[in-house]
Amino acid sequence: MSDIDLDSIMRACADPGDRYARLLNPRFYKLLRALGFDRTFIRGEGPWLFDESGERYLDAIAGYAAITIGRNHPVLINALHQALDSGLPSLVQFEANPLAGVLAERLLECTGRENDRVYFTNSGTEGVEAALKFARASTARNRIIHCSRGFHGLTLGALSINGNPGLREGFGPLLEDVTEIPFRDAAALASALQEQPAAAFVIESVQGKTLEVAEDQYLREVSDLCRRSGTLLVADEVQSGLGRTGAILGTDHAGIRPDIVVLSKALSGGMVPVGAVIARGEIIDDVFESMSRSHVHSSTFKENVLAMVAGIASLHVLREERLEQRAQELGTLLRERLEAVAAATGCIKAVRGRGLMLGIELDVERMAGSIKLPFIGRHRSTLVAQAVVRHLLNEHHVLALSTSAESATIKFTPSLVIEPEQVEQLASAVHRTLERLDGTTLGADIHGLAGMTRGILSP
Ligand SMILES: Cc1ncc(COP(=O)(O)O)c(C=O)c1O
């Protein structure tokens, strides 16, 4: 039997965009082209991506913040090679999976929750779905409370508690008995709970879309309110968890102990999808309450060998390299540098976030004076942010993300293995992009993008 030859498959991808647009998602490809992201990266190493001509790019998207340990970390690669060479059987299903036990033990030890239990998933949104079901089963209540502008994934349950109406539009009826309250408003939670207690209050310690931080005092208050009303506090740490904010869990900063914690992204090492729901033992017992119901929630690929090994290797690197400490130190440095750019250019309204989960909100009104913005109606903020992202990519080889349709927010979540000089490089790229708006190509970028996207976005 002949092998497949990955090198020649990649070499034969002469026009990957064309195939992608024909066979997958033409509109997404159109967007990629408009933004200049229609390039092919053929290698990743640490915080870097390399394109076909060997050009190096600083990746501050890092797989939507999943790649905390850097791309292709040698410990992870070695562990995965060992797993593949071992002949271990994956998906036996009816077994007490030994690697799942080891990963659960290490995860609970790492998060300081040794008395809890773990349920493994294949993604963040699947973890959120599990958390919603677990909370309902455990409390025998239906109601879920969540925060405006929060993000918890895009499957129907997670979408029901999504704080961005645009993402819900067009997908029909979602979960009933869901209440949205403003983020960072403990009084709103108190009055919602007074009206009627809930199964769960779901919260991000740093909102991934807005980069708004839930202050420690607020988190302590909501934790208290939940405890008093028997509502389970669900911390969605899919993005903020495992080091990114400068602590193992984002909620650790506040010293609280949520009833359920959802993790994913960083646990994968950026290689094999894996997620975990950590919950108090009683909650797990309530869900899997009898032998006949011992697998009422499950999925085929959970606990697969490669995912478990990726998780074990990622946690090992997190601990050995003290990545949460790096996120704290380098996040402080990046924040300082971005604040200096804000002061020097006047184009940044706010620098937000925690650790290496940071964002800048552009002052579009102020920029509009220098650039003479084209008429782009309600999409103005998005377009300006996207033009800055495009400029960062094309002129400075920095990948960043524009996160919100409502504000011109640009987000930086590089891997936690970056060095101080890469922090300087990132801040300097932002500075050079925003300084002297007149006379730089940013103005041209905005006008070019407006022209290209007029057909896609209606004002
Ligand atoms: C806080 C949060 N929760 C849930 C999710 C969904 O995770 P996934 O994309 O793995 O389904 C994300 C993804 O960005 C996230 O940031």
Side-chain angles (χ1 to χ4, degrees):
M1 185 176 315
S2 64
D3 286 333
I4 64 146
D5 176 5
L6 186 57
D7 261 355
S8 62
I9 291 174
M10 285 302 288
R11 273 197 305 275
C13 291
D15 192 351
D18 174 61
R19 193 181 281 117
Y20 193 96
R22 265 189 303 113
L23 304 177
L24 288 101
N25 183 341
R27 300 267 157 62
F28 181 62
Y29 183 60
K30 206 167 171 181
L31 179 72
L32 290 180
R33 280 193 22 208
L35 295 178
F37 275 80
D38 56 334
R39 49 190 94 203
T40 306
F41 296 106
I42 56 164
R43 193 162 72 80
E45 188 182 326
W48 305 107
L49 283 168
F50 297 84
D51 70 13
E52 287 154 311
S53 56
E55 283 292 320
R56 195 170 77 159
Y57 297 73
L58 182 60
D59 180 10
I61 297 177
Y64 290 153
I67 301 168
T68 51
I69 66 173
R71 285 185 191 272
N72 292 313
H73 194 290
V75 169
L76 175 66
I77 298 296
N78 180 287
L80 291 175
H81 276 300
Q82 288 183 51
L84 289 170
D85 292 341
S86 66
L88 276 171
S90 207
L91 312 182
V92 175
Q93 309 297 13
F94 272 77
E95 68 162 347
N97 185 329
L99 288 171
V102 172
L103 179 56
E105 189 169 62
R106 296 189 180 184
L107 188 58
L108 294 176
E109 192 270 326
C110 171
T111 52
R113 300 181 62 114
E114 285 87 345
N115 296 325
D116 290 359
R117 300 228 184 93
V118 181
Y119 173 84
F120 287 112
T121 70
N122 303 294
S123 68
T125 197
E126 213 187 283
V128 170
E129 298 290 335
L132 297 180
K133 282 178 74 179
F134 291 3
R136 282 181 159 192
S138 180
T139 59
R141 298 172 184 164
N142 290 336
R143 188 185 190 204
I144 310 287
I145 304 178
H146 69 101
C147 293
S148 52
R149 300 165 87 195
F151 184 88
H152 303 286
L154 296 174
T155 48
L156 282 178
L159 193 61
S160 308
I161 57 164
N162 195 302
N164 302 277
L167 289 170
R168 293 200 298 261
E169 251 169 55
F171 294 106
L174 299 170
L175 283 187
E176 290 171 2
D177 225 352
V178 165
T179 307
E180 181 172 309
I181 59 170
F183 187 54
R184 303 198 303 188
D185 186 342
L189 180 65
S191 90
L193 288 176
Q194 201 167 27
E195 239 168 60
Q196 188 200 351
F201 173 51
V202 187
I203 189 161
E204 295 159 274
S205 60
V206 180
Q207 284 195 328
K209 291 280 177 199
T210 63
L211 284 311
E212 300 274 5
V213 178
E215 299 94 345
D216 298 345
Q217 181 54 29
Y218 163 74
L219 283 178
R220 286 193 280 270
E221 279 178 48
V222 299
S223 169
D224 210 37
L225 286 166
C226 285
R227 194 168 28 78
R228 278 191 272 137
S229 73
T231 297
L232 300 184
L233 179 62
V234 176
D236 180 348
E237 298 256 13
V238 167
Q239 188 160 167
S240 54
L242 301 179
R244 181 149 296 278
T245 69
I248 294 293
L249 299 179
T251 42
D252 288 350
H253 295 286
I256 60 162
R257 199 179 170 72
D259 300 288
I260 299 180
V261 176
V262 187
L263 295 165
S264 184
K265 299 191 189 264
L267 195 58
S268 71
M271 268 297 180
V272 187
V274 58
V277 179
I278 300 178
R280 285 192 287 103
E282 310 88 86
I283 297 171
I284 298 287
D285 285 343
D286 290 337
V287 179
F288 304 107
E289 62 185 352
S290 62
M291 256 196 285
S292 64
R293 289 183 63 80
S294 63
H295 48 290
V296 280
H297 188 77
S298 185
S299 82
T300 303
F301 293 109
K302 83 171 188 349
E303 300 177 14
N304 73 78
V305 165
L306 290 182
M308 297 301 98
V309 170
I312 292 169
S314 302
L315 287 186
H316 178 79
V317 174
L318 168 68
R319 299 327 311 265
E320 287 239 318
E321 300 190 12
R322 308 293 311 268
L323 290 180
E324 77 281 15
Q325 208 166 306
R326 285 184 73 88
Q328 174 70 43
E329 287 160 13
L330 294 171
T332 303
L333 181 64
L334 181 57
R335 172 184 285 279
E336 274 168 24
R337 293 298 184 268
L338 291 172
E339 277 167 356
V341 177
T345 62
C347 294
I348 296 176
K349 244 192 219 169
V351 180
R352 287 197 286 262
R354 199 162 206 174
L356 279 173
M357 188 173 172
L358 290 177
I360 52 174
E361 184 180 346
L362 300 172
D363 191 337
V364 174
E365 291 313 314
R366 184 136 178 200
M367 292 168 75
S370 320
I371 297 177
K372 295 187 190 60
L373 284 178
F375 175 70
I376 41 186
R378 70 182 169 88
H379 296 293
R380 187 153 101 159
S381 290
T382 319
L383 208 71
V384 171
Q386 293 288 19
V388 170
V389 162
R390 179 172 132 126
H391 195 88
L392 285 170
L393 178 65
N394 288 335
E395 305 298 321
H396 302 287
H397 285 185
V398 166
L399 277 83
L401 202 60
S402 150
T403 57
S404 164
E406 292 155 35
S407 71
T409 300
I410 298 172
K411 177 170 166 186
F412 307 106
T413 53
S415 65
L416 311 185
V417 298
I418 55 165
E419 298 289 341
E421 65 185 283
Q422 286 133 29
V423 168
E424 303 290 354
Q425 181 190 342
L426 179 51
S428 152
V430 175
H431 194 170
R432 282 190 285 149
T433 299
L434 295 179
E435 73 182 347
R436 294 183 298 107
L437 290 174
D438 260 349
T440 69
T441 52
L442 180 60
D445 261 337
I446 294 177
H447 283 266
L449 205 52
M452 262 188 274
T453 51
R454 251 189 201 106
I456 309 174
L457 311 168
S458 53

